[in-house]
Amino acid sequence: MTHQIDLNSDLGEGYGAWTMGDDAAMLAIVSSANVACGFHAGDPLTILATLRDAVSRGVAVGAHVSYPDRVGFGRRPMDVTSAELSADVIYQIGALQGLAASVGTRVTYVKPHGALYNTIANDARQADAVIAGIKAIDPSLVLMGLAGAPILERAKAAGLKTVAEAFGDRAYTPEGQLVSRRDPGAVLHDPELVAARMVRLATEGVIEAIDGSTLRLHADSICVHGDSAGAVDMAHRIREELLAAGVSITPFTETK
């Protein structure tokens, strides 16, 4: 049986003189880049440099849209109106589309960031607002969301293509949710352990939950957070072990 999967990372998250992660190194490893759009991180010059490097590496580009929360790095939940959230999504995608066009690439998917990502996984109202924003600016864009979460079915029902995402460096609850970053063990740091987990996910469709139980999970893409300590080493080990196991790494937008 031939297996393939996408490997993605959140990039373009520096801001002015402040560097976040090693985008150049990650772009040599991943097949898709979730590029910040300025609301949680990323200034125009940083975003443009990340896009230009993605082009040179042949890496697919997605819009990493967020709540307007630079101070909290987009990780604080916000109770915004549906109209405001849709407008924010349109604004961010449009900005990234313009920058991408200037360097000869295009935005092919949308991955919400941080608190927005976690909220819309199960919150129908905010999910519908994000979906509406995507459809309003470009209904051909693919929505990336948490594997097994209701957001994916809502997006499909609205006519969007979707891709299910798993996280290499995050622990899961037995119900398939991400363990809260406030809880012990939520973020995984051992590259060998994470790589083994991702090989099993890609080849068997299962992952071990934080309580030791086995969780069945279908995922089309694996994320390694670019701002995590040791992120490059972890992504490199995941890629090596996937390839060694016969799993090809390909942008999901090439097969959708």
Side-chain angles (χ1 to χ4, degrees), residues 44-91:
L45 188 59
T46 295
I47 294 169
L48 196 61
T50 300
L51 290 168
R52 190 174 286 117
D53 203 2
V55 172
S56 70
R57 298 284 187 175
V59 173
V61 169
H64 203 31
V65 301
S66 170
Y67 290 129
D69 180 28
R70 290 196 186 104
V71 172
F73 198 63
R75 288 184 173 153
R76 298 182 292 189
M78 296 181 70
D79 184 17
V80 297
T81 67
S82 295
E84 182 181 8
L85 184 53
S86 293
D88 284 351
V89 168
I90 293 168
Y91 185 95

Side-chain angles (χ1 to χ4, degrees):
M1 182 176 180
T2 301
H3 300 277
Q4 69 177 45
I5 202 160
D6 175 62
L7 191 59
N8 78 76
S9 189
D10 305 339
L11 304 175
E13 293 181 325
Y15 197 81
W18 292 272
T19 300
M20 179 73 76
D22 188 343
D23 285 8
M26 290 297 282
L27 284 166
I29 299 169
V30 300
S31 48
S32 296
N34 321 312
V35 182
C37 301
F39 269 37
H40 75 283
D43 64 273
L45 188 59
T46 295
I47 294 169
L48 196 61
T50 300
L51 290 168
R52 190 174 286 117
D53 203 2
V55 172
S56 70
R57 298 284 187 175
V59 173
V61 169
H64 203 31
V65 301
S66 170
Y67 290 129
D69 180 28
R70 290 196 186 104
V71 172
F73 198 63
R75 288 184 173 153
R76 298 182 292 189
M78 296 181 70
D79 184 17
V80 297
T81 67
S82 295
E84 182 181 8
L85 184 53
S86 293
D88 284 351
V89 168
I90 293 168
Y91 185 95
Q92 291 175 82
I93 294 171
L96 193 66
Q97 284 177 329
L99 290 168
S102 75
V103 296
T105 190
R106 65 189 182 92
V107 177
T108 55
Y109 68 96
V110 177
K111 176 188 169 180
H113 165 80
L116 178 59
Y117 182 99
N118 293 328
T119 297
I120 68 170
N122 297 290
D123 185 308
R125 182 187 67 79
Q126 290 205 26
D128 287 346
V130 170
I131 291 166
I134 295 170
K135 290 185 67 177
I137 189 166
D138 186 351
S140 73
L141 292 170
V142 179
L143 174 63
M144 180 185 286
L146 182 65
I151 177 63
L152 298 179
E153 292 305 317
R154 297 190 75 83
K156 288 177 185 176
L160 290 181
K161 293 179 181 178
T162 64
V163 63
E165 178 184 38
F167 289 81
D169 52 3
R170 293 293 301 277
Y172 281 81
T173 70
E175 296 73 33
Q177 300 294 314
L178 297 178
V179 174
S180 171
R181 286 179 178 269
R182 294 186 295 271
D183 296 337
V187 180
L188 308 179
H189 301 286
D190 183 344
E192 300 302 325
L193 170 65
V194 170
R197 283 165 60 87
M198 293 303 98
V199 168
R200 189 179 183 198
L201 177 66
T203 58
E204 302 176 32
V206 296
I207 192 168
E208 184 177 305
I210 195 166
D211 66 350
S213 62
T214 299
L215 173 67
R216 182 155 293 279
L217 198 69
H218 168 77
D220 306 296
S221 186
I222 294 169
C223 176
V224 178
H225 287 100
D227 64 312
S228 299
V232 172
D233 289 340
M234 184 175 291
H236 182 68
R237 286 302 295 147
I238 292 172
R239 182 182 180 92
E240 280 188 333
E241 292 302 312
L242 286 171
L243 293 175
V247 180
S248 63
I249 297 172
T250 308
F252 60 85
T253 49
E254 292 185 359
T255 60
K256 289 288 178 180

